[in-house]
Amino acid sequence: MPPIRSSLAELVPWMQSRADALDRDSAFPAEEVARLHHLGVLALPLPVAANTRDDALAGTLAAMLVLIGQGNLSVGRVIEAHINTLHLVARYGSEAQQTDALATARDGGLFGLWVTDPPGGGLRMRRFGSRIMLSGAKQFCSSAGHAAGALVTARDEDGAARMLILRLGIGETVKPLPSPLQGMRAAVTGAVDFTGCETSAGVILGEPGDYLREPDFSAGAWRGSAVAAGGLIALLDLALTQLRETGRWDNPHTRARIGEAIIARETSRHWVRSAARIAEDPDADAAHRVATVGLARIAVETACLDAMRLVQRSLGLSAFRQGNPVERICRDLSTYLRQPAPDEVLTEAAGWFAANPGASAVA
C-alpha cells in the first residue's frame, strides 16, 4: 500500500471516534481536514492532470475516498467536493488558475463546490471591465463558512451559465439552511449570499456551459460513490461488532442477512474500482464513461440501501437509537445517496449499454 494510503488507513479509527460528537454538535471537522492536509490529501495528484490513462492514480484516489468515507461520511463529502473542484480547475482552468488553486490546496485551503440555486433565483454576475459584481445566492453549500475558496456557477448578462473559482472572504454572507438536513451534519451545509460582492474577471473558469459538459459532469459522480462505499464498509464493521457483543451473531437468520449485506459491500467495492478506471481514462469513449459511472452510482446506492435494511433488521431498535454510530451512518448515507435524477441516470446508462452490447463496465 502506498505510504499516503497506509497513513490514511491508520487515521480512520481516530476519525470514527470523533464522528458522533461532530454530528451531535453539527461541528465542522476542522481537525480532520488539517490532518488530511498534513498527509497530502488536499493536494493529491489527480488523474485529469496526467491527461493520459493512469490506473494507479485513479486507484489511489478511489481507495483514499473509500477510506475517508469509512472514517466519517461528512468528511468524505467535504473532501469529495474539494477534489471535484480541483478536477474542474485542472480540466478547464488557465495555467494561472491551476497554479493558484494548487497553491491554495498545498497551503491547506479547502474548496467548496456550490452549484445549487435557491428557489427564489440563483447567483448572477455582471462584468464591468476587468471586474465582476455578484448578486444572488447558492444553497446546499457544504463547508459553508469554513472553505477558503469555492467553485460556483453563475448566470452572466446573456443568461449563460459560467463557472467562477472564487477566493472567499469577499463579503459573502453565510446562513444556515432554513430547514437543516437530517444527515451529514458535520459537513456544515448552509446557504451563501454573494449579493454586493466584487471580484476580478480572472475568476471566470472555462467557457459558457462547461460545467454541464460531458463526460466530466456525469462521470465525476464516481467519487461520491467511493465515499458512500466507505460508509457502507464502516456500517458492516459496526453491525458485526454489535451483533457479537449482544450474542445475536449465532442466529442463522442474522448470519444470512449479514451475508447478503457483505455481498452488497463487495459489489460496491468492485463497481467503484471499475468506474474510477474507466471514468478517468481520457482515451475511453465519453458516452461509455458516463454510462459506466451511471451504473456504478445506482449499483452503490442499491448496495447501501439494501445493506442498511439488512443491518437494521438484524440489530432491531438499537439501530435507531441516537448515540449508536449505526444510526448516524444510516442517516448520513440516506442523505448522501439522494443525488439528482437516479431514474434518468439508470435508463440512459441502460440504453447506452443495450446499444453497445460489446462494451463492458468492468475496467
Side-chain angles (χ1 to χ4, degrees):
M1 180 182 289
I4 191 170
R5 284 170 58 183
S6 60
S7 298
L8 181 53
E10 293 172 1
L11 197 64
V12 167
W14 173 79
M15 294 171 63
Q16 292 174 335
S17 72
R18 290 169 45 83
D20 281 331
L22 292 171
D23 172 77
R24 182 185 62 246
D25 299 334
S26 297
F28 187 75
E31 291 187 41
E32 283 77 356
V33 172
R35 292 203 184 188
L36 292 173
H37 162 56
H38 179 73
L39 293 181
V41 172
L42 297 190
L44 184 75
L46 301 180
V48 64
N51 200 32
T52 186
R53 178 165 181 165
D54 192 326
D55 286 348
L57 272 181
T60 296
L61 180 57
M64 290 179 59
L65 288 170
V66 169
L67 283 168
I68 296 170
Q70 190 175 347
N72 185 334
L73 281 161
S74 288
V75 178
R77 174 68 189 99
V78 165
I79 298 301
E80 178 220 340
H82 173 85
I83 290 174
N84 288 351
T85 293
L86 292 181
H87 175 99
L88 290 169
V89 172
R91 174 71 76 201
Y92 299 113
S94 65
E95 184 175 346
Q97 288 172 327
Q98 293 176 23
T99 300
D100 184 65
L102 187 56
T104 298
R106 284 175 175 161
D107 288 340
L110 186 71
F111 284 100
L113 181 66
W114 301 342
V115 295
T116 304
D117 291 330
L123 188 60
R124 298 273 177 178
M125 56 174 278
R126 281 187 172 275
R127 277 174 283 199
F128 300 92
S130 63
R131 306 295 292 174
I132 291 176
M133 184 65 73
L134 299 174
S135 62
K138 308 302 285 189
Q139 68 174 356
F140 298 127
C141 304
S142 297
S143 309
H146 299 273
L151 188 151
V152 302
T153 49
R155 294 281 176 181
D156 65 15
E157 301 91 331
D158 300 321
R162 306 298 301 259
M163 289 189 291
L164 310 178
I165 182 71
L166 301 175
R167 286 292 189 98
L168 297 174
I170 56 175
E172 71 276 3
T173 302
V174 177
K175 296 180 180 179
L177 294 176
S179 299
L181 296 174
Q182 176 183 350
M184 307 297 286
R185 294 172 180 169
V188 187
T189 302
V192 182
D193 193 335
F194 290 95
T195 300
C197 294
E198 183 180 339
T199 187
S200 164
V203 302
I204 298 174
L205 185 69
E207 300 298 327
D210 275 349
Y211 177 69
L212 296 177
R213 202 172 304 283
E214 299 290 11
D216 295 274
F217 176 67
S218 297
W222 78 262
R223 292 183 283 269
S225 295
V227 175
L232 173 53
I233 292 169
L235 177 64
L236 262 292
D237 288 345
L238 280 167
L240 283 167
T241 297
Q242 293 183 18
L243 287 168
R244 290 189 178 108
E245 289 174 347
T246 57
R248 300 170 69 178
W249 173 237
D250 290 332
N251 183 292
H253 304 296
T254 295
R255 291 198 175 202
R257 285 193 291 267
I258 296 303
E260 292 180 24
I262 291 170
I263 291 172
R265 181 192 67 191
E266 295 310 302
T267 297
S268 70
R269 285 190 208 261
H270 289 301
W271 272 107
V272 165
R273 290 186 189 122
S274 288
R277 290 174 182 148
I278 292 177
E280 299 297 339
D281 180 3
D283 297 323
D285 177 77
H288 185 191
R289 294 160 72 181
V290 170
T292 297
V293 172
L295 291 185
R297 175 186 147 185
I298 301 305
V300 172
E301 177 188 8
T302 302
C304 291
L305 294 174
D306 286 347
M308 284 191 285
R309 173 180 55 82
L310 292 162
V311 165
Q312 289 168 343
R313 179 169 289 184
S314 297
L315 291 176
L317 278 176
S318 67
F320 298 88
R321 180 178 55 81
Q322 292 184 11
N324 186 344
V326 167
E327 183 274 335
R328 170 181 48 79
I329 291 176
C330 287
R331 178 162 37 81
D332 283 350
L333 269 178
S334 296
T335 302
Y336 195 39
L337 292 170
R338 289 306 102 222
Q339 299 300 316
D343 298 321
E344 181 180 342
V345 167
L346 180 58
T347 55
E348 289 185 357
W352 188 87
F353 276 101
N356 296 271
S360 174
V362 178

